[in-house]
Amino acid sequence: MKKTILTGDRPTGKLHLGHYVGSLQSRVALQHEYDTFIIIADVQALTTNWDNPDQLAGDLHEVAMDYLAVGIDPSVATIFVQSMVPQIAELTIFYSMFVPVNVLRHNPTIKTEAAQKGYNDMNYGFLGYPVSQAADITFCKAHLVPVGKDQAPHLELTRQIARRFNSLYGEVLVEPDAMIQPLLKDLDGNTKMSKSIGIAIYLSEPADEVLRKVKTAVTDPARIRKDDPGHPKVCTVFAYQKEFNKSFAPELEKICKKGEIGCVECKKRLAAALNEMLEPIREKRTYYESHLDEVDDILQAGTQRAISVGAQTLAEVKEAMKIDYFG
Ligand code: SF4
């Protein structure tokens, strides 16, 4: 029996290199080894974009096309839409009975996100989305959840919910483990590439736009002239070269320190490496952009499988809670 992985994204538009490094490449690598469920968490997106639902359908397709373009194989991985799996909503309600409100209020991720969005008060859905996330993870009895460090508190809550449920009602749920994923810095040196802060390079970005964005990247501030000795350790471009141009990075480290390469040349080489990596992704994505019906078929088939897996878990949950009144 394969173990199960649950992973996914809120549909908020096209995915970028931060998603690629932080999760997509490991999903592609692990999809044959694990029973992989990939959730497009549209209900979670509604917790902050409830007033703009028109955008959701478009964003959902953008995310799905990026998944397929990077190499997620729908014949082995189950890509599904959260709001179309009613069992997740039902599990959310049952779990919410034994999660104290103060645990949610003091959740560090919730507090940080609320501060970033300038919320004085939080809507009920936003405050409770870690509970909904616990339902996303446990409906398919996931053993592993790839997360960034910033999402770790949510997973801890899922683990607590699973433990609490099992101790109250009997062993039904699986307590998932975190698989901590690397973070990619933004090109301007922020700690995490993000759509809302700094400069994000999208997986579907045209080649000339990739070059334009890379040219704006922050480098070693101590380097004024081309032949000044560089400090690759503090340079964002070097961090990218290590990630996306692995064969060149060791040589670059030496010649940068000796002042034998200029930052302009270095950035051009990074952009070239990125474009070489992104070209097949762009090509595949272009295909799906003109075959949206195929994307819909894949999402519907994945969602159907998620529904049948969720129905099995929900039946076990209801039986354990003794609310399966009529058998
Ligand atoms: S040469 Fe490259 S690694 Fe060295 S400081 Fe310039 S951009 Fe950074």
Side-chain angles (χ1 to χ4, degrees):
M1 284 283 282
K2 283 180 179 175
K3 287 196 164 185
T4 300
I5 279 188
L6 183 287
T7 175
D9 296 277
R10 285 187 201 187
T12 54
K14 293 178 175 180
L15 302 180
H16 51 61
L17 287 178
H19 295 110
Y20 185 79
V21 170
S23 62
L24 295 174
Q25 62 181 352
S26 71
R27 289 181 204 174
V28 173
L30 296 172
Q31 62 185 336
H32 294 279
E33 196 181 326
Y34 290 87
D35 189 6
T36 301
F37 285 81
I38 304 179
I39 184 169
I40 303 185
D42 58 334
V43 179
Q44 265 191 42
L46 278 174
T47 64
T48 50
N49 288 326
W50 70 91
D51 51 353
N52 192 13
D54 289 343
Q55 206 182 322
L56 211 50
D59 284 348
L60 186 130
H61 283 102
E62 299 284 9
V63 171
M65 286 190 291
D66 280 332
Y67 287 165
L68 297 168
V70 296
I72 299 291
D73 177 354
S75 71
V76 292
T78 302
I79 309 172
F80 67 99
V81 181
Q82 183 186 26
S83 66
M84 294 173 72
V85 182
Q87 292 81 7
I88 291 177
E90 286 189 64
L91 290 173
T92 303
I93 293 172
F94 296 143
Y95 298 165
S96 67
M97 304 307 161
F98 52 84
V99 179
V101 171
N102 273 341
V103 166
L104 299 171
R105 276 194 202 285
H106 297 305
N107 180 297
T109 315
I110 288 280
K111 278 166 75 175
T112 308
E113 281 186 43
Q116 281 169 354
K117 292 179 195 315
Y119 291 163
N120 292 323
D121 195 6
M122 283 176 257
N123 63 45
Y124 174 63
F126 180 76
L127 180 68
Y129 94 74
V131 182
S132 158
Q133 207 168 46
D136 299 340
I137 294 166
T138 54
F139 94 96
C140 61
K141 300 191 178 177
H143 302 92
L144 269 182
V145 183
V147 286
K149 267 190 190 158
D150 56 337
Q151 287 289 310
H154 284 341
L155 190 67
E156 192 45 44
L157 183 63
T158 297
R159 289 166 56 82
Q160 286 169 14
I161 288 173
R163 274 201 300 274
R164 183 99 174 105
F165 183 96
N166 289 345
S167 73
L168 282 168
Y169 307 114
E171 290 286 326
V172 173
L173 302 179
V174 171
E175 201 180 316
D177 288 319
M179 187 189 255
I180 300 292
Q181 299 294 294
L183 280 182
L184 183 69
K185 275 191 175 186
D186 210 317
L187 282 171
D188 60 8
N190 286 313
T191 46
K192 185 179 174 185
M193 182 172 274
S194 127
K195 287 173 197 176
S196 47
I197 313 164
I199 312 148
I201 295 181
Y202 294 93
L203 299 173
S204 50
E205 203 94 74
D208 52 353
E209 205 34 27
V210 171
L211 177 61
R212 188 191 69 75
K213 288 185 173 176
V214 168
K215 279 182 178 172
T216 66
V218 170
T219 62
D220 173 7
R223 246 186 141 198
I224 312 290
R225 285 181 300 273
K226 192 179 159 187
D227 52 0
D228 285 342
H231 304 85
K233 265 192 187 159
V234 302
C235 177
T236 311
V237 176
F238 184 67
Y240 274 63
Q241 296 274 25
K242 278 204 296 188
E243 186 63 49
F244 300 107
N245 203 1
K246 289 188 168 75
S247 59
F248 176 53
E251 182 195 343
L252 171 62
E253 187 168 15
K254 285 183 202 149
I255 58 178
C256 171
K257 283 179 176 171
K258 290 184 194 162
E260 290 174 357
I261 180 171
C263 294
V264 173
E265 169 63 18
C266 184
K267 286 178 175 180
K268 277 187 191 162
R269 291 189 69 159
L270 172 62
L274 285 172
N275 278 325
E276 194 181 327
M277 184 199 94
L278 291 175
E279 189 48 35
I281 297 175
R282 286 190 285 248
E283 252 177 51
K284 241 178 146 182
R285 201 183 197 280
T286 304
Y287 170 84
Y288 284 111
E289 281 167 6
S290 56
H291 293 82
L292 275 180
D293 50 338
E294 277 186 38
V295 179
D296 283 349
D297 287 348
I298 288 165
L299 291 179
Q300 287 188 53
T303 301
Q304 276 313 313
R305 178 169 183 240
I307 288 171
S308 66
V309 169
Q312 174 64 35
T313 304
L314 186 65
E316 291 171 33
V317 161
K318 285 184 166 179
E319 189 185 351
M321 294 179 78
K322 305 194 190 315
I323 52 173
D324 59 336
Y325 307 117
F326 309 113

